[in-house]
Amino acid sequence: MAPPLSRRSLLQAATLAAATPATAPALSYAATDPATAVTPTAVAIPSTWTVRPFALNDVALGAGVFADKRRLMLDHARGYDVNRLLQVFRANAGLPTGDAVAPGGWEGLDGEANGNLRGHYTGHFLTMLAQAYAGTREQVFADRIGTMVGALTDVRAALRTDPAVLSVAGRFGAAALNERGSYQYVELPPAVLGAATAITLAAWVKPVHDDNWARVFDFGADTTRYLYLAARNANGVPRFAVTTSGAGGEQGLNGTSALPSNEWSHLAVTIANGTGTLYVNGAAVARSTAMTLTPAALGTLAHNWLGRSNYPADPVFAGAYGGFDVWSRALSGTEIAELQGSRAADASTGRGDLASYAFDETTGGSFADASGRGLTATLRRTWGGPSHPGYLAAYPETQFIQLESMTGSDYTKVWAPYYTAHKILRGLLDAYPATDDDRALDLASGMGDWMYARLSVLPAATLQRMWGIFSSGEFGGIVEAICDLHALTGKAEHLALARLFDLDKLIDACAANTDTLDGLHANQHIPIFTGLVRLYDATGEERYLTAASNFWGMVVPHRMYGIGGTSTGEFWKARDVIAGTIGATTAETCCAYNLLKLSRTLFFHEQAPKYMDYYERALYNQVLGSKQDTADAEKPLVTYFIGLTPGHVRDYTPKQGTTCCEGTGMESATKYQDSVYFAASDGSALYVNLFSPSQLTWADKGVTVTQTTGYPRDQGTTLTIGGGSATFELRLRVPSWATAGFRVTVNGRAVSGSPTPGSYFAVSRRWRAGDTVRVAVPFRLRVERALDDPALQTLFLGPVNLVGRNSATEYLEFGLYRNAGLSGDLLPSLTLVTGKSLHFTLDGTEFAPFFEGTEDPTHAYFRRSEPRVVFGNTDSGVANPAKADGTTLLDEIWTGAPFGDKGALVARVRSTVEAWVSGGLLSGSDGTKVVSTAERAVFAP
């Protein structure tokens, strides 16, 4: 009897469901003894799955295009400083960030929408590290996971408590730092200004960022009565203002130059007898003799803050305070100058008599007042604190709170907070089984508990509205991740949480097979359906699986480009409009990533070859081609969009990096092997889905299967059985494009049967060590036509999309029938480039595999132009006529391919010509010329 499954084993099962293509190091294979090989922990597979995947560490990649691409990403995984990723988390919790600089793009506070998506990239990176470790067992990846999980554990603990002082070196002794992104400020007691009729306020500050309108101090009742000093106004210079009638009634003083960042500056303001003066570093920079308002005119003030503004939209001051003093008189210029060389306590002025804070505390969350008035100050967060101890994020909970009342999208205020939560949760769920670090599970479980506590109390109508909001309500693959979490924890609340993300309008439409996708944001919705399949696994509710299956069929092929990608400018257009949607922002890379996940998850329930046909298409083309063939420790070099316009040059570092697509790109490049092999759930069969150099260790059977191939540069593969012996059916995928034959031999003997393109070919026997299976799958050059414009076409050789490399920005025109073979193969019309596999030329343009990650201008689509009837490079001199729908005479002739011999082709030409002549589409004399040309021509096989 097998031992009971551990909680880690359960999560591994969930992780298997989530994985997609991954890789291990290029390696030479040695014989493996299953009796001594390290085997993975047993995994629990949902009873609804009729096939199961293998763990990433069960499948090692051999040398080839996948290993090459993965090696480049592993260099990035080893070289990037993870403390940069953790910076935004630590800052949010008020923890030291050291010298780490937050990533650019979407991850930093200065990125798009003020970094409202920050934290998502850390989740992607954790997943990449977990997959890299599973595929390579390099300790460096496990160590980096440990660093990140440890830091996130510290972050959550800090978020659970009141903020604590972060002590740093000051101008004189110690100072208190408020990290940028911590949303921390200092609250002073109400009596701090003491209704003074004359006053001096002085502070030592060290700004760390050039935010406009961040307050050094702000004492006010609201946005009507207040007194403030901003480090920078709209012109970038310090500004002091006091008012009892709002912004329009401000009496103000403006500085003359900006305060330097990361340097200490002394600021002081004095008011007395109608005169106000602003000092910067001891020098008077502004004076007004019309400063009639004093603290006495403001009355009782509710908010007395250092670092926070009474205007909610203003930023929180980021930087350090080295002292703050308030006197009930106006200091002289000489006294202000004296304060440049010492603390107030050591100057002739003495400490402020209304308030005096040295900020030399090194622990705790309060600051002592040395004025003698006992006005202890307290460190606060603008958002108070998390609603639940499980909260973990790189920004305040306010985005989640605001989403609950939003009725329209505004990503500058709320940008997909649950999407970000998904990435963090997914990263933790992947880190846990990779390293057995219980802290990762605890963090993940806490996030589930927090989300349930937040969402379970909301009305159903609120949830439906939230999830229907573009961008702001996007939640990515969180349902899948929560189902995986539930499989691990067994908490009923976690399964209930997964169902709280149901977007009923979308689910019901897809379950009824009603296509409502036009106008929807593609990547916001694709991962929803992978989650629905997992909900079906957990609940048995059929509408989830039906909706997902129908949805897949609405995208493939109806909204799919040749490379396997989908979406235009992130959105879907009308069904079957392909040529009409091609632009510079087609094929968002995240969409391909998520369609791969959905395809494999559906295959676990229904072994329809179409899912793996799509998988091969998208993996070998868009996914591989989205990774630049260059090593870079600082950037993953992955595309966001892949423009399919003529002459498009791929951008491998869009938006300064750290986008969603670069995150999923990191994941894709470390799991290329995840769908090469599947096993029937009862162990009776092994599915070989992809022809990829790899070695499978099938522990349950005690065998290894080593696949040796240069595919797709080789047109076939060889599988060798190692280890012991076992009985099972080997199911070899016959690609739908394999119309030129599919031949299988076992130990040199041909296997009988007629493999059908778009199926699996089964070979059943008791396999023994040394058994060798050879598969030949000849490639043919073919075209795929845009559904809405058949003349716009893309080239494929076997599984490989061939793109023209040409800087022209208009569609190129090519003819391909000129030397087509009897088989219908168009390849003879192209010329092979010597020494460059899969590279060809046609009319002066080089065609190369899309998967090559270069920065060459490319043409994925071209215009088909066959102006004259040509056979075997013999020109008939007759114009190629066309029907009203665009079908030409040559199109109709060649749809009859393959032809067994030349006679069969000539017969097809003759019968087609007769039909066109009788239909008035071709003259009799021209028809005679066409037939005569076909009879004289020499055809390739």
Side-chain angles (χ1 to χ4, degrees):
M1 180 176 178
L5 293 172
S6 67
R7 293 203 302 168
R8 173 174 176 258
S9 302
L10 288 168
L11 183 62
Q12 277 191 315
T15 303
L16 288 175
T20 311
T23 51
L27 45 85
S28 58
Y29 297 122
T32 302
D33 180 0
T36 59
V38 176
T39 57
T41 306
V43 294
I45 297 297
S47 61
T48 52
W49 292 5
T50 47
V51 301
R52 66 174 181 86
F54 291 93
L56 291 179
N57 58 348
D58 289 333
V59 184
L61 285 187
V65 62
F66 289 116
D68 291 343
K69 293 274 189 177
R70 186 186 64 171
R71 175 177 49 78
L72 297 173
M73 193 61 76
L74 292 179
D75 288 344
H76 176 64
R78 295 185 195 97
Y80 193 82
D81 181 4
V82 297
N83 286 301
R84 296 188 63 192
L85 300 170
L86 296 167
Q87 195 270 356
V88 289
F89 284 89
R90 288 170 168 151
N92 186 49
L95 295 175
T97 63
D99 295 326
V101 177
W106 289 358
E107 273 298 298
L109 281 162
D110 297 315
E112 196 167 349
N114 302 312
N116 280 348
L117 212 65
R118 60 191 183 277
H120 82 114
Y121 205 69
T122 297
H124 286 298
F125 208 91
L126 269 173
T127 292
M128 173 180 66
L129 291 174
Q131 293 173 171
Y133 183 57
T136 68
R137 310 313 290 178
E138 288 185 36
Q139 187 60 37
V140 62
F141 301 126
D143 291 344
R144 304 195 114 206
I145 292 171
T147 297
M148 296 178 74
V149 170
L152 294 176
T153 300
D154 293 341
V155 164
R156 189 181 69 174
L159 289 172
R160 286 177 168 178
T161 60
D162 291 331
V165 62
L166 186 56
S167 182
V168 296
R171 179 67 174 81
F172 308 106
L177 172 67
N178 285 341
E179 285 276 10
R180 184 164 185 256
S182 69
Y183 297 89
Q184 291 181 177
Y185 67 100
V186 179
E187 183 177 60
L188 307 182
V192 63
L193 296 183
T197 57
I199 198 164
T200 299
L201 304 102
W204 277 104
V205 294
K206 183 180 181 180
V208 297
H209 195 262
D210 56 0
D211 287 315
N212 289 345
W213 297 116
R215 303 296 201 259
V216 174
F217 57 77
D218 195 335
F219 305 116
D222 45 33
T223 56
T224 301
R225 292 184 294 120
Y226 54 75
L227 172 153
Y228 73 76
L229 175 63
R232 294 171 59 93
N233 64 5
N235 296 318
V237 298
R239 173 173 173 77
F240 171 80
V242 58
T243 183
T244 57
S245 57
E250 286 185 358
Q251 298 177 3
L253 299 165
N254 294 316
T256 55
S257 60
L259 297 183
S261 292
N262 296 302
E263 293 182 19
W264 286 102
S265 294
H266 187 264
L267 300 173
V269 176
T270 64
I271 302 176
N273 302 317
T275 298
T277 307
L278 172 64
Y279 296 86
V280 177
N281 293 324
V285 297
R287 179 171 282 112
S288 170
T289 57
M291 192 72 70
T292 60
L293 294 176
T294 66
L298 298 178
T300 302
L301 301 176
H303 307 139
N304 300 282
W305 295 328
L306 303 183
R308 182 178 180 181
S309 171
N310 276 283
Y311 285 86
D314 287 340
V316 179
F317 177 79
Y321 284 89
F324 179 70
D325 285 88
V326 184
W327 290 268
S328 59
R329 66 184 180 89
L331 300 185
S332 68
T334 300
E335 290 174 312
I336 297 293
E338 184 186 357
L339 293 175
Q340 308 310 298
S342 66
R343 284 183 169 179
D346 301 320
S348 63
T349 60
R351 296 184 175 94
D353 62 313
L354 293 181
S356 180
Y357 304 97
F359 295 108
D360 53 7
E361 289 83 356
T362 58
T363 60
S366 61
F367 303 99
D369 171 28
S371 71
R373 300 177 69 206
L375 302 179
T376 301
T378 306
L379 194 60
R380 304 288 191 196
R381 294 188 183 98
T382 60
W383 55 289
S387 63
H388 186 281
Y391 181 74
L392 177 63
Y395 47 68
E397 199 171 0
T398 47
Q399 279 207 66
F400 297 91
I401 296 168
Q402 290 177 42
L403 176 61
E404 294 166 9
S405 60
M406 288 183 72
T407 57
S409 175
D410 184 349
Y411 85 137
T412 65
K413 295 179 180 176
V414 176
W415 191 5
Y418 285 97
Y419 173 95
T420 304
H422 162 244
K423 301 308 175 187
I424 299 167
L425 177 62
R426 180 78 266 165
L428 293 168
L429 290 173
D430 291 334
Y432 175 59
T435 60
D436 279 327
D437 192 331
D438 289 335
R439 296 175 301 174
L441 176 59
D442 183 60
L443 290 170
S445 184
M447 289 186 72
D449 295 343
W450 155 70
M451 283 187 281
Y452 180 73
R454 167 127 243 127
L455 296 176
S456 63
V457 297
L458 297 178
T462 299
L463 293 172
Q464 294 299 315
R465 173 175 46 77
M466 286 165 57
W467 308 143
I469 299 174
F470 158 63
S471 186
S472 299
E474 183 175 357
F475 55 78
I478 202 166
V479 174
E480 175 196 15
I482 295 169
C483 287
D484 295 347
L485 177 65
H486 171 253
L488 180 63
T489 66
K491 288 186 177 182
E493 294 86 354
H494 290 164
L495 181 57
L497 170 63
R499 302 189 76 161
L500 292 176
F501 289 90
D502 280 7
L503 183 55
D504 290 331
K505 181 179 179 180
L506 177 68
I507 297 171
D508 292 343
C510 289
N513 207 19
T514 301
D515 189 333
T516 61
L517 303 188
D518 187 7
L520 292 184
H521 183 260
N523 198 54
Q524 181 166 345
H525 294 87
I526 298 170
I528 289 176
F529 291 93
T530 304
L532 294 182
V533 180
R534 297 290 288 116
L535 267 179
Y536 165 77
D537 294 334
T539 67
E541 190 168 326
E542 288 285 347
R543 78 170 184 137
Y544 290 139
L545 182 61
T546 301
S549 177
N550 289 342
F551 165 80
W552 190 92
M554 296 171 190
V555 179
V556 181
H558 300 288
R559 292 177 173 88
M560 181 193 75
Y561 302 106
I563 58 173
T566 187
S567 80
T568 299
E570 299 192 5
F571 289 83
W572 280 311
K573 305 301 182 183
R575 183 183 178 109
D576 294 330
V577 177
I578 301 300
T581 61
I582 288 176
T585 57
T586 38
E588 183 185 354
T589 306
C590 273
C591 294
Y593 165 91
N594 278 309
L595 274 175
L596 288 178
K597 293 188 77 169
L598 177 59
S599 299
R600 78 191 297 268
T601 306
L602 287 169
F603 191 88
F604 297 153
H605 299 82
E606 176 194 5
Q607 286 72 64
K610 65 182 179 181
Y611 295 129
M612 286 299 115
D613 272 345
Y614 172 79
Y615 204 96
E616 179 184 64
R617 174 194 294 269
L619 179 64
Y620 276 88
N621 294 292
Q622 174 155 4
V623 172
L624 279 180
S626 68
K627 173 71 186 86
Q628 188 173 16
D629 296 334
T630 303
D632 194 315
E634 287 299 305
K635 297 181 287 292
L637 299 180
V638 176
T639 59
Y640 191 115
F641 297 117
I642 295 181
L644 299 176
T645 50
H648 177 78
V649 177
R650 290 174 219 170
D651 180 1
Y652 296 98
T653 313
K655 298 176 179 283
Q656 303 176 57
T658 69
T659 64
C660 54
C661 291
E662 285 158 303
T664 54
M666 293 190 300
E667 295 183 31
S668 289
T670 47
K671 60 176 180 177
Y672 288 131
Q673 75 269 38
D674 78 334
S675 296
V676 177
Y677 309 99
F678 295 152
S681 293
D682 61 3
S684 63
L686 178 68
Y687 288 80
V688 180
N689 303 310
L690 301 172
F691 304 133
S692 174
S694 54
Q695 184 177 77
L696 166 68
T697 299
W698 194 2
D700 290 348
K701 291 291 185 180
V703 300
T704 61
V705 178
T706 300
Q707 190 174 170
T708 306
T709 181
Y711 190 91
R713 294 185 170 94
D714 288 350
Q715 300 185 22
T717 190
T718 299
L719 298 103
T720 304
I721 307 299
S725 61
T727 299
F728 58 89
E729 188 171 78
L730 188 66
R731 296 179 181 172
L732 304 165
R733 187 176 67 87
V734 186
S736 58
W737 49 260
T739 57
F742 187 90
R743 297 182 294 278
V744 180
T745 64
V746 176
N747 298 331
R749 291 190 168 189
V751 178
S752 61
S754 300
T756 303
S759 70
Y760 279 82
F761 183 70
V763 182
S764 184
R765 59 182 280 144
R766 182 164 185 80
W767 300 94
R768 294 177 172 79
D771 283 348
T772 301
V773 179
R774 289 189 170 85
V775 178
V777 54
F779 295 175
R780 281 181 178 162
L781 186 72
R782 69 187 191 282
V783 297
E784 289 189 0
R785 296 171 169 82
L787 298 176
D788 53 329
D789 185 355
L792 194 68
Q793 302 178 1
T794 186
L795 276 182
F796 278 86
L797 182 62
V800 179
N801 184 226
L802 295 177
V803 293
R805 292 181 175 172
N806 191 305
S807 60
T809 56
E810 300 292 333
Y811 285 116
L812 302 175
E813 293 189 359
F814 294 107
L816 294 168
Y817 289 136
R818 68 187 72 172
N819 197 29
L822 293 172
S823 65
D825 190 355
L826 301 172
L827 189 60
S829 293
L830 278 65
T831 302
L832 179 66
V833 177
T834 303
K836 297 176 72 173
S837 177
L838 299 177
H839 283 241
F840 304 88
T841 58
L842 177 63
D843 294 345
T845 293
E846 182 175 359
F847 279 80
F850 186 93
F851 65 69
E852 293 184 355
T854 72
E855 293 181 292
D856 294 296
T858 61
H859 289 248
Y861 284 87
F862 63 93
R863 287 240 165 252
R864 187 69 173 273
S865 177
E866 306 281 356
R868 290 195 303 278
V869 177
V870 181
F871 296 111
N873 285 327
T874 302
D875 192 338
S876 69
V878 175
N880 182 27
K883 294 181 177 179
D885 65 359
T887 302
T888 69
L889 175 67
L890 284 174
D891 290 334
E892 198 156 299
I893 290 170
W894 285 105
T895 56
F899 301 106
D901 53 30
K902 179 179 175 178
L905 185 148
V906 172
R908 172 74 176 190
V909 172
R910 185 176 288 110
S911 64
T912 304
V913 164
E914 290 172 355
W916 281 57
V917 169
S918 64
L921 299 170
L922 184 69
S923 70
S925 60
D926 282 347
T928 300
K929 292 178 183 177
V930 169
V931 173
S932 173
T933 301
E935 291 172 337
R936 289 183 287 111
V938 177
F939 294 91

